[in-house]
Amino acid sequence: MLTVVRPDQGEFSWSITVGPDQPRDDSAASQIKVVLGQAEAGQRVQLWIERASADDDAFAVGLGFAPYRDLWRMQRPLPADRSSIATRAFVPGADDQDFLRVNNRAFHWHPEQGGLTPSDLADRMAEDWFNADGFRLYEQSGQLAGFCWTKVHSDETPPGGEIYAIAVDPDFHGQGLGKPMTLAGLDYLADQGLTVGFLYVESDNDPAVATYRSLGFDLHSTNRAYRLMAE
């Protein structure tokens, strides 16, 4: 079965995800058409195809969708060079507001990570994968300057460590913190015995892609998003 959700934020009323191992066939097309039949006129519907190939464009376009966004998975072997900065673990309750402030300033443009609320954060901390030790904070003069939130994927072969979300507060831009913040996350993941580190980045975020390439990350796969407006 495809994954179908009704997002509570952003421009889309429906979001459908085709997993990396799910066939793009008549059965999948039929399931997508069922969702489209439930959407009201004027509602926007999003289709994600994970690990997309050139053939997937024809599949999605045939259903009326148009591609609009590529999310790259970039990865590298672990360990990497050690970070030059010291970070500490996130403390639930004590650090919530500072994190939300920095996150929402840094990701004001982002459709999923931007505009997080205390409820959104609570939901993510309730997930089985959440580990406060892997949520690394960097402070300067008592202020939260940035964070690197990691996530362990023990279901992958070999198990992988993800840089789930990373940001520097705009007040601290220009200090070259992107690289050491990323390395701080990779340090934590490598210290857990993981040998693969990865992250997801917008394909058109040229500065971030350049930073990650300079740290040894290479393109692994593409998750492609398509959209349409229901009639």
Side-chain angles (χ1 to χ4, degrees), residues 28-110:
S30 295
Q31 294 176 58
I32 293 169
K33 289 177 181 177
V34 169
V35 177
L36 296 180
Q38 298 177 53
E40 298 176 4
Q43 290 186 330
R44 291 186 180 274
V45 182
Q46 177 174 244
L47 172 65
W48 276 104
I49 296 185
E50 298 182 342
R51 296 184 191 172
S53 68
D55 292 339
D56 292 325
D57 282 348
F59 172 79
V61 170
L63 290 165
F65 289 88
Y68 80 98
R69 180 183 175 195
D70 277 2
L71 192 64
W72 284 355
R73 171 168 168 157
M74 301 183 73
Q75 66 183 49
R76 60 149 296 146
L78 296 177
D81 294 336
R82 301 294 294 187
S83 179
S84 60
I85 62 174
T87 62
R88 68 169 177 85
F90 177 87
V91 179
D95 290 321
D96 294 17
Q97 291 303 316
D98 284 343
F99 159 71
L100 289 170
R101 175 180 54 80
V102 172
N103 180 87
N104 292 339
R105 280 166 54 82
F107 286 110
H108 63 89
W109 53 274
H110 198 278

Side-chain angles (χ1 to χ4, degrees), residues 9 29 38 78 87 101 136 187 191 205 216:
Q9 62 182 28
Q38 298 177 53
L78 296 177
T87 62
R101 175 180 54 80
R136 309 305 303 173
D187 287 347
D191 291 346
N205 189 344

Side-chain angles (χ1 to χ4, degrees), residues 6 15 18 31 57 60 87 89 117 121 132 158 164 184 187 194 213 223:
R6 300 200 66 174
S15 185
V18 180
Q31 294 176 58
D57 282 348
T87 62
T117 67
L121 177 59
Y164 172 65
D187 287 347
L194 300 171
R213 288 196 186 280
N223 291 351

